[in-house]
Amino acid sequence: MPDPTPKVRSLPLHRSCPFDPPDEYKQLRAEEPVSRVRFADGQEGWLLTKFEDVKSFLLDSRFSSNRNIAARTRHTYEKPKLPAGAMVSMDPPEHTRYRRMLAGQFTTRRVRALEPRIAGYVSQQLDEMEKAGPGVDLVETFALPVPSLVICDLLGVPARDRHDFQAWAQTVLNVDLPIEQVQRAKERLFSFITELVREKTRHPRNDIISGLLHSPAEDRLTEEEIIGVSVLLLIAGHESTSNMLGIGAYALMRHPKELAKLQAEPSLIDNAVEELLRYLSIVHLEFIRTATEEVEFAGHLIRPGETVKGSMVSANRDPDRYPDPDVLDLTREDVHHLTFGHGIHQCIAQQLARMEMRVAFSLLFTRFPTLRPAIAPQDVRFKDDSVAYGVKELPVTWDTAAV
């Protein structure tokens, strides 16, 4: 029988360890894995914290991805209208149409073909690091530019403009800034992409935007839809991977025994990337859905219109799914995780992100085998104010004789 009066909690937000989820998740998983919570805009809803619950929730078509009808989980201001092309907030059949159009751009075969270009961008930035010398900021010189150069290449964005869109993207994803500042950055980003799309309409190139513009007429997206999709890919393709490169490298440096395993056995890199994705789970807002009908879920009655949040960071640390889940173990078996989602909204560019991380971490710690932080752990600043968690900057040093 569903519990009619569950206790209403606040969303866990504060970490006691920079690599771990908030401590409250352990208690919730053990005592109340489906819990009643109050979101930032005052609405009440539900929080799921167990791996299997979150996984089945993401497969349940009774929960809508439409963010326009969901409670706000971080901001307290009025919900903005989502732009055309915001496929992460769509349900079938609209979502299916977008997914079909983009799936061919990110096949495993196409991503593998990109490896030499990605390796070239990584090597270019490692040259810049060596030129700058010990004390260089790993985020500014390596973690930010590598994904920027890759996604600019794929979308056909001039490399000279990457610094502008980096700044706009970081502002758009900052959950603590005034809405007016966020909106200005969003307008500038959309204006930039609009001009880029119109230029590629006139002069197509071999890139994703040109491919969408000149696809078969029966499937073709409108200009407005292509602009929205391009903004989504630009932000997602840059911001999430750049944060993973920064905090992932820091996590490896803070776990020297695990890093030593990878350096001794480079073939561990695929498993290492999956374990870092599980262990760090960097996306804060995670999986937000709204019930479209009455749903009984794990003994609780979820009513139509109620918002449900599936916690990725908690699910990826569930002890019923992973032995010693709070331990970073690059040799962990069966590292299947929910970092890229599950079901129809699973990240369409996940193979690209994996490739970037594999190449970047491999070349970084081969080129700089003694790489280590140049500041104390208590001086490292983390991005608690962003949708994607990471390090704000990370000065690093190394033994120059070893390079």
Side-chain angles (χ1 to χ4, degrees):
M1 184 75 179
D3 179 4
T5 57
K7 177 182 178 180
V8 180
R9 304 172 180 271
S10 298
L11 281 173
L13 294 175
H14 304 293
R15 300 171 183 245
S16 58
C17 171
F19 298 127
D20 294 337
D23 293 336
E24 299 97 311
Y25 281 122
K26 290 183 179 180
Q27 181 181 358
L28 288 175
R29 283 194 303 265
E31 300 176 5
E32 198 176 356
V34 181
S35 51
R36 191 78 175 162
V37 292
R38 180 172 289 106
F39 296 114
D41 61 1
Q43 291 191 53
E44 292 182 10
W46 300 90
L47 175 68
L48 312 180
T49 53
K50 297 286 291 180
F51 183 94
E52 290 301 332
D53 284 346
V54 175
K55 184 178 177 181
S56 63
F57 157 70
L58 293 175
L59 293 173
D60 197 325
S61 61
R62 296 173 295 178
F63 295 103
S64 170
S65 296
N66 186 349
R67 294 289 178 90
N68 281 323
I69 61 174
R72 299 300 291 177
T73 59
R74 297 281 288 186
H75 289 307
T76 56
Y77 54 75
E78 183 179 355
K79 293 192 284 280
K81 187 179 185 305
L82 293 167
M87 59 185 290
V88 293
S89 299
M90 293 177 183
D91 299 316
E94 189 179 21
H95 171 267
T96 309
R97 172 174 169 254
Y98 281 88
R99 186 97 183 181
R100 185 176 64 246
M101 288 291 297
L102 287 168
Q105 305 291 337
F106 296 101
T107 63
T108 301
R109 181 179 178 182
R110 294 193 71 168
V111 169
R112 284 176 180 163
L114 292 171
E115 184 170 4
R117 285 154 69 182
I118 294 172
Y121 289 135
V122 172
S123 296
Q124 171 184 314
Q125 295 310 129
L126 295 179
D127 289 344
E128 292 295 320
M129 279 182 60
E130 185 175 359
K131 181 179 178 182
V136 66
D137 179 7
L138 187 74
V139 173
E140 183 67 28
T141 311
F142 182 75
L144 277 174
V146 167
S148 297
L149 290 165
V150 172
I151 199 64
C152 281
D153 189 335
L154 291 176
L155 291 175
V157 177
R160 66 178 180 272
D161 295 316
R162 68 178 176 84
H163 291 291
D164 288 334
F165 93 71
Q166 279 178 11
W168 296 330
Q170 289 177 12
T171 300
V172 167
L173 294 177
N174 190 311
V175 297
D176 287 340
L177 291 176
I179 182 57
E180 295 80 11
Q181 185 175 347
V182 173
Q183 190 59 36
R184 284 195 300 271
K186 191 176 295 185
E187 289 170 358
R188 294 184 70 182
L189 181 56
F190 269 84
S191 177
F192 169 74
I193 294 295
T194 298
E195 289 305 312
L196 184 67
V197 167
R198 289 174 180 171
E199 168 63 20
K200 291 181 184 300
T201 301
R202 297 186 296 267
H203 306 290
R205 308 288 188 200
N206 184 26
D207 55 59
I208 291 176
I209 294 178
S210 297
L212 292 174
L213 284 165
H214 300 279
S215 59
E218 63 271 17
D219 290 328
R220 192 173 303 160
L221 302 176
T222 67
E223 180 185 89
E224 185 181 14
E225 289 172 330
I226 291 173
I227 291 167
V229 167
S230 300
V231 169
L232 173 66
L233 292 175
L234 194 61
I235 292 178
H238 160 260
E239 195 67 13
S240 56
T241 307
S242 66
N243 280 288
M244 268 303 302
L245 292 183
I247 197 170
Y250 182 53
L252 289 170
M253 288 185 276
R254 287 294 307 275
H255 294 80
K257 290 183 180 179
E258 294 305 302
L259 177 56
K261 290 180 188 177
L262 180 60
Q263 290 174 316
E265 191 176 346
S267 62
L268 277 177
I269 187 60
D270 286 352
N271 212 71
V273 165
E274 298 305 315
E275 173 68 349
L276 286 167
L277 286 164
R278 179 202 71 83
Y279 181 72
L280 296 170
S281 301
I282 65 165
V283 180
H284 274 182
L285 293 187
E286 311 174 63
F287 311 121
I288 310 299
R289 304 285 189 270
T290 303
T292 58
E293 59 184 84
E294 191 173 274
V295 180
E296 187 171 337
F297 194 99
H300 295 272
L301 188 64
I302 300 174
R303 294 179 171 83
E306 288 191 313
T307 294
V308 182
K309 175 178 177 176
S311 175
M312 174 208 303
V313 297
S314 178
N316 281 345
R317 295 294 188 95
D318 186 349
D320 289 342
R321 176 65 182 80
Y322 309 100
D324 299 318
D326 296 326
V327 173
L328 178 66
D329 179 4
L330 302 191
T331 62
R332 184 184 298 276
E333 297 180 359
D334 187 20
V335 198
H336 174 71
H337 52 75
L338 296 176
T339 302
F340 290 119
H342 191 64
I344 64 170
H345 280 283
Q346 195 168 37
C347 176
I348 200 166
Q350 60 182 290
Q351 298 306 331
L352 175 63
R354 286 185 169 102
M355 175 64 76
E356 290 183 62
M357 285 183 272
R358 284 198 296 266
V359 174
F361 290 138
S362 294
L363 295 183
L364 174 66
F365 290 106
T366 299
R367 180 80 167 268
F368 298 96
T370 59
L371 191 72
R372 56 192 182 274
I375 57 175
Q378 64 268 24
D379 294 328
V380 178
R381 297 191 305 143
F382 293 88
K383 297 175 70 172
D384 295 301
D385 56 358
S386 177
V387 172
Y389 186 66
V391 289
K392 292 191 174 184
E393 62 274 316
L394 185 64
V396 291
T397 189
W398 58 88
D399 299 337
T400 53
V403 176

